[in-house]
Amino acid sequence: MLVKAKEKQISFLFQEQDPFFEIGFRVLEQEQIPQMLPCQRRQQNGREKLVFKAERQDLAPLADIVPELGEEALVSLLCGMIALNMEVEKNGFLKKECIWYRYDDLYYDRAGGCVMTAILPVTGDLRYADGMSWYDCFEKTMTRIAACLPYTKMLYVRKLAQMLRMGKLAQEDALEELSRLGGIAAETRKCGSESRRDKVLGLLYRGKGRELVFHVEGDDFLIGRDDGSADGVITLEFSRAVSRRHCLITRMNNKYFVQDLKSVNHTLVNGIMIPPYELTELENNDILSVADIEFRVTVSER
């Protein structure tokens, strides 16, 4: 598939015949998804060509608009991307991977306050010219939008995007988390979510006649030997192998995840070293090793 973008339009020339292309195109016509740019279908040298146009005056390149938006509008924009993924998949035929999420090809609908983009009638996974997968592109676009948010909220969105890409968070849950972040009433809620009880995570270390206990509170809990920034401080009397900023525990969707912060002596869960900045879920009775300090993990309901 060849892609060509110019001012106010983006075109796709399909190199091969997809047996489901016709069905997919009809589905898109019937669905009439509001966030989809107007599309014209043509033939070029016997091949299918789709041209998406952004000619309405209330449409502007997303990259030009994002720096001007306030916090609520930015979070609403991110919620709209998740909602669009879910909307496209409701028909049971198309997948979210048919949404073209390249940041520089996206437009902003000033009237609707949402992203406008190309949606392709394809059933296979999209791969972008620079080698990125659809998930990589989606994560990168969410991160670029979130870059205009306050630092803590930007980090939170990055974690959400990463968890979506890794398949550790459902889209419904991501939408709920984003809505909570922006103080927006989410249209999609999980049944019974309002009555669920919060989970509390505890860490217990016993060794060499000493005991160390951490109660993880809030959305982020930093563990390290730097008593100026760490929430859970491991002093030199316990270990000289712990880095100043060793690992970070994050609560998201009522679950807890740990990521190593590129520490010198690594972070392990049940004896398995986790790569730097990769989120790994913590469950009851897990062993979390922060360098040579082994914590027993307890997860209980409050």
Side-chain angles (χ1 to χ4, degrees), residues 212 214 224-225 227 232-240 242 293:
L212 188 60
F214 294 146
R225 63 177 172 84
D227 58 5
V233 180
I234 301 177
T235 60
L236 292 176
E237 67 177 311
F238 283 93
S239 172
R240 293 183 176 273
V242 175
I293 300 295

Side-chain angles (χ1 to χ4, degrees), residues 57-72:
Q57 290 192 354
D58 57 348
L59 297 182
L62 182 67
D64 295 344
I65 298 298
V66 163
E68 303 173 1
L69 298 178
E71 285 185 38
E72 186 174 335

Side-chain angles (χ1 to χ4, degrees), residues 36-247:
M36 177 176 164
L37 290 169
C39 174
Q40 292 181 354
R41 181 178 177 182
R42 302 173 184 171
Q43 287 284 319
Q44 182 173 315
N45 299 324
R47 296 171 180 168
E48 293 285 354
K49 183 177 183 179
L50 296 180
V51 180
F52 294 84
K53 296 187 177 183
E55 295 178 335
R56 282 175 22 208
Q57 290 192 354
D58 57 348
L59 297 182
L62 182 67
D64 295 344
I65 298 298
V66 163
E68 303 173 1
L69 298 178
E71 285 185 38
E72 186 174 335
L74 289 168
V75 175
S76 180
L77 200 60
L78 293 166
C79 286
M81 291 175 61
I82 304 292
L84 177 57
N85 292 346
M86 297 164 62
E87 178 69 21
V88 167
E89 293 189 322
K90 277 169 56 176
N91 58 75
F93 181 81
L94 296 173
K95 302 188 298 181
K96 61 183 179 299
E97 287 87 347
C98 68
I99 305 170
W100 188 255
Y101 269 131
R102 185 173 178 272
Y103 184 76
D104 292 332
D105 296 337
L106 297 176
Y107 289 84
Y108 181 75
D109 182 348
R110 296 178 188 273
C114 62
V115 163
M116 297 287 291
T117 187
I119 302 178
L120 306 174
V122 295
T123 54
D125 292 343
L126 292 175
R127 183 161 291 277
Y128 294 77
D130 53 9
M132 286 198 303
S133 68
W134 182 89
Y135 285 97
D136 292 334
C137 191
F138 177 71
E139 179 181 358
K140 184 177 180 180
T141 294
M142 286 194 71
T143 302
R144 289 187 68 175
I145 294 172
C148 294
L149 289 169
Y151 184 71
T152 54
K153 290 188 176 183
M154 179 271 289
L155 289 179
Y156 195 75
V157 172
R158 284 177 58 183
K159 293 171 192 171
L160 280 173
Q162 185 184 21
M163 291 175 69
L164 280 168
R165 179 172 58 83
M166 296 169 65
K168 294 184 176 181
L169 187 68
Q171 293 197 87
E172 293 86 351
D173 295 330
L175 179 57
E176 184 172 349
E177 291 293 321
L178 278 173
S179 301
R180 184 175 63 84
L181 181 70
I184 302 167
E187 295 180 2
T188 304
R189 297 277 184 183
K190 292 181 68 175
C191 293
S193 62
E194 293 183 359
S195 61
R196 71 184 180 190
R197 299 177 65 184
D198 286 338
K199 292 182 179 178
V200 178
L201 185 138
L203 300 175
L204 171 63
Y205 164 76
R206 286 197 180 105
K208 299 179 182 180
R210 293 190 177 95
E211 182 176 284
L212 188 60
V213 180
F214 294 146
H215 296 287
V216 178
E217 298 179 357
D219 291 331
D220 289 315
F221 189 90
L222 176 66
I223 297 176
R225 63 177 172 84
D226 185 353
D227 58 5
S229 61
D231 303 293
V233 180
I234 301 177
T235 60
L236 292 176
E237 67 177 311
F238 283 93
S239 172
R240 293 183 176 273
V242 175
S243 297
R244 292 177 64 251
R245 294 169 55 86
H246 197 102
C247 62

